[in-house]
Amino acid sequence: LRGNYSQGFRAPSLEELFDGGGSFVGLVDDIDPCIVGSDPTNAANCAADGVPGGSYEPQLGTVRIAYGGNPELAPETAVSQTLGLVWSPAWLAGFDLALDWYRIEIDDAVAYPFENDLVNSCIFNAVPAACDRTLRDPSSGELLAVDTSPLNSGAIDTEGYDLTLRYRLDTRVGRFALVWDSTYTVERLVEIPSGAPVISTTGNYLPFEPNWRYRSN
């Protein structure tokens, strides 16, 4: 039987702090829920974010997406807990079974937000950390830029199980081993940016951050 309780600390990396970064152009129609023709229930939220009348007709049609390092990042802190067992039966030499439960909670986790998530968190949830990352034209309210450089998210909380089956076999021609490793993610909750609604990303297979429920090798 084995168990572990630990506290973790990670300072931001040099790249997260000082990456030179740059920008690229996105389509405002794909990002901003405040353009004319969007859901009218958004109008009050858009007006509160600086859009006169709650909607606007895009003039530029594009929005600048900025990225790069953030020298104001704070360190991450974490609490990790594990509990597990290893079974090696005497009647089957070379066989091991290991089963472990884990839970990891990270506060102020460094995260790279998507531009859509920032704008939606600002408009739909009035999250200050998200609204601070958007720039609108002061007269028309048109979305001009979104800053997607890394930030300290509210939290990342994940829980799951690891299972390993291993069999070693000694022969006259060498030692062989068969190993089956599997992971089951019970839950993975994120709050990005800080103050945004907590959402589950378990089974959300995003191109740059897949969060598998099952993985097996």
Side-chain angles (χ1 to χ4, degrees):
L1 297 177
R2 58 190 179 187
N4 175 74
Y5 176 89
S6 64
Q7 293 180 312
F9 173 92
R10 186 183 78 88
S13 68
L14 290 176
E15 181 179 6
E16 291 166 342
L17 290 168
F18 304 116
D19 178 17
S23 65
F24 60 93
V25 174
L27 296 177
V28 70
D29 289 4
D30 295 335
I31 300 173
D32 195 4
C34 296
I35 61 172
V36 171
S38 62
D39 190 339
T41 59
N42 299 335
N45 296 331
C46 294
D49 192 45
V51 180
S55 64
Y56 68 92
E57 188 73 49
Q59 299 300 312
L60 299 176
T62 59
V63 56
R64 185 171 66 90
I65 312 299
Y67 63 93
N70 179 6
E72 297 182 0
L73 287 174
E76 301 176 339
T77 59
V79 172
S80 301
Q81 304 170 73
T82 66
L83 184 63
L85 60 85
V86 179
W87 182 48
S88 304
W91 50 269
L92 185 55
F95 176 77
D96 300 311
L97 180 150
L99 177 63
D100 293 277
W101 165 85
Y102 65 86
R103 183 174 183 183
I104 304 170
E105 300 170 88
I106 306 176
D107 290 322
D108 295 324
V110 175
Y112 288 82
F114 291 104
E115 55 272 15
N116 299 73
D117 293 338
L118 288 172
V119 176
N120 289 339
S121 291
C122 178
I123 296 301
F124 301 134
N125 306 109
V127 178
C131 295
D132 291 344
R133 293 296 190 98
T134 62
L135 176 65
R136 293 187 178 275
D137 184 282
S139 57
S140 68
E142 181 168 359
L143 185 65
L144 302 178
V146 182
D147 180 5
T148 62
S149 58
L151 47 70
N152 288 108
S153 63
I156 296 178
D157 187 348
T158 185
E159 180 183 4
Y161 294 91
D162 293 331
L163 173 67
T164 298
L165 300 177
R166 180 184 295 107
Y167 183 65
R168 299 180 304 277
L169 181 65
D170 291 325
T171 71
R172 289 181 297 175
V173 295
R175 174 177 294 174
F176 296 89
L178 298 175
V179 181
W180 181 22
D181 282 323
S182 298
T183 292
Y184 173 75
T185 302
V186 176
E187 192 65 276
R188 184 178 185 275
L189 303 174
V190 299
E191 181 189 341
I192 303 175
S194 181
V198 176
I199 62 172
S200 172
T201 62
T202 307
N204 186 357
Y205 305 125
L206 297 173
F208 301 105
E209 191 184 3
N211 298 298
W212 319 104
R213 183 175 290 280
Y214 304 98
R215 299 191 72 178
S216 187
N217 293 307

